[in-house]
Amino acid sequence: MGQPRSAGLKPLAIAVLALLDERPMHPYEMYQVLVSRREDLLVKVRPGSLYHAVDRLAEAELAVADGTDRAGNRPERTTYRITDAGRKALRARIADILREPVQEFPIFRVGLAEAHSLPQAEVVALLSERAEHMAGEVADFAAMREWARRREVPRRYWFVLEYVHHMATAELDWLRAFIAEVEAGGIAWEQFDPETGVRIDTGDHEHDLAWTDHADPSAAPVPRWARAVHHDPRRSFRYS
């Protein structure tokens, strides 16, 4: 028995079906609306990938061509509408996303986890540069929220900006505090040979097994999403 149609819906496909659930549109109009609503902050939106997503939805009978039109000398455009199956798949996929947290793997977490592989001063400089970029992003999110509020855009279309803004603000606050702590020497750091740049082995490995020996009551707690994986590696990384 195959997976339900909603299971394979990628972010761009979700965004397209959500637009078609509002009203029939042609692909270029979809692109314009997504960009005007700043949904390009949430999904990668390119004209080529959007047309491909629409084609895939039509092949899966989640959307269907609803007619063509031509404006002036412009190429003929095909308008699409959502099907009953498409609406059902869209709502099921959104419900799944809202209901259950899924463990994601942002690349910044990897860099942060392995930051001790770089000299302390370099990490401070790099994270300070990142904080400057993030401060600009936080200001941009605040400006977009204010723009939408002043123009009385229905809040249901932009409350995601509130979430993104608050999450970015929290990350920036933590980042600034962490930079200050590292800069002040509050965290014992790796030492490196000043000539070769090679890490100096201090022999501080006594905690290695404590992280991996899950039979040991004093071992590090296993996150919920990973518990099933320890018992069955074939299972995906999802909260149980």
Side-chain angles (χ1 to χ4, degrees):
M1 186 174 180
Q3 287 186 322
R5 293 181 180 184
S6 62
L9 288 180
K10 301 295 177 63
L12 185 55
I14 296 171
V16 168
L17 282 179
L19 288 180
L20 295 181
D21 195 35
E22 294 180 25
R23 67 178 188 274
M25 297 185 192
H26 55 72
Y28 185 67
E29 183 182 8
M30 298 177 203
Y31 175 76
Q32 290 179 310
V33 173
L34 288 173
V35 172
S36 69
R37 292 182 181 177
R38 305 310 303 164
E39 291 199 33
D40 52 340
L41 294 170
L42 310 176
V43 297
K44 292 182 180 180
V45 181
R46 299 288 186 275
S49 58
L50 190 145
Y51 277 88
H52 180 66
V54 172
D55 286 342
R56 293 287 300 274
L57 291 172
E59 290 173 4
E61 299 182 346
L62 301 181
V64 64
D66 196 39
T68 58
D69 62 74
R70 183 192 300 272
N73 295 324
R74 294 180 179 177
E76 194 174 70
R77 291 174 174 171
T78 301
T79 298
Y80 291 84
R81 62 176 172 82
I82 194 170
T83 64
D84 290 340
R87 185 172 293 106
K88 181 178 180 180
L90 170 67
R91 294 178 178 178
R93 186 73 178 102
I94 293 173
D96 285 343
I97 293 170
L98 296 179
R99 177 188 302 114
E100 184 178 8
V102 176
Q103 178 63 17
E104 299 173 318
F105 301 90
I107 193 65
F108 176 62
R109 294 182 186 177
V110 179
L112 194 61
E114 308 303 338
H116 57 85
S117 296
L118 299 178
Q120 177 180 346
E122 184 177 356
V123 170
V124 168
L126 293 171
L127 291 181
S128 296
E129 184 177 346
R130 182 184 183 89
E132 289 182 15
H133 290 301
M134 289 200 63
E137 290 182 1
V138 168
D140 289 343
F141 294 144
M144 284 186 278
R145 289 179 60 185
E146 182 62 15
W147 181 93
R149 186 189 67 79
R150 288 189 175 185
R151 283 158 180 77
E152 299 183 348
V153 178
R155 190 159 167 242
R156 65 181 178 274
Y157 292 122
W158 58 271
F159 59 66
V160 67
L161 280 175
E162 299 174 7
Y163 171 80
V164 174
H165 184 203
H166 282 296
M167 295 297 287
T169 300
E171 183 176 340
L172 178 59
D173 289 344
W174 180 88
L175 194 58
R176 285 171 169 166
F178 179 71
I179 291 169
E181 185 178 10
V182 174
E183 196 168 23
I187 298 178
W189 209 260
E190 304 283 2
Q191 299 299 310
F192 299 86
D193 187 297
E195 294 184 4
T196 65
V198 175
R199 184 193 315 219
I200 298 173
D201 188 355
T202 60
D204 184 19
H205 308 299
E206 67 270 20
H207 297 297
D208 287 355
L209 290 179
W211 284 95
T212 57
D213 185 4
H214 304 299
D216 185 346
S218 64
V222 178
R224 294 183 188 183
W225 60 265
R227 290 174 189 169
V229 177
H230 287 296
H231 297 292
D232 184 355
R234 297 169 297 177
R235 290 198 50 181
S236 59
F237 290 171
R238 295 173 65 90
Y239 285 87
S240 56

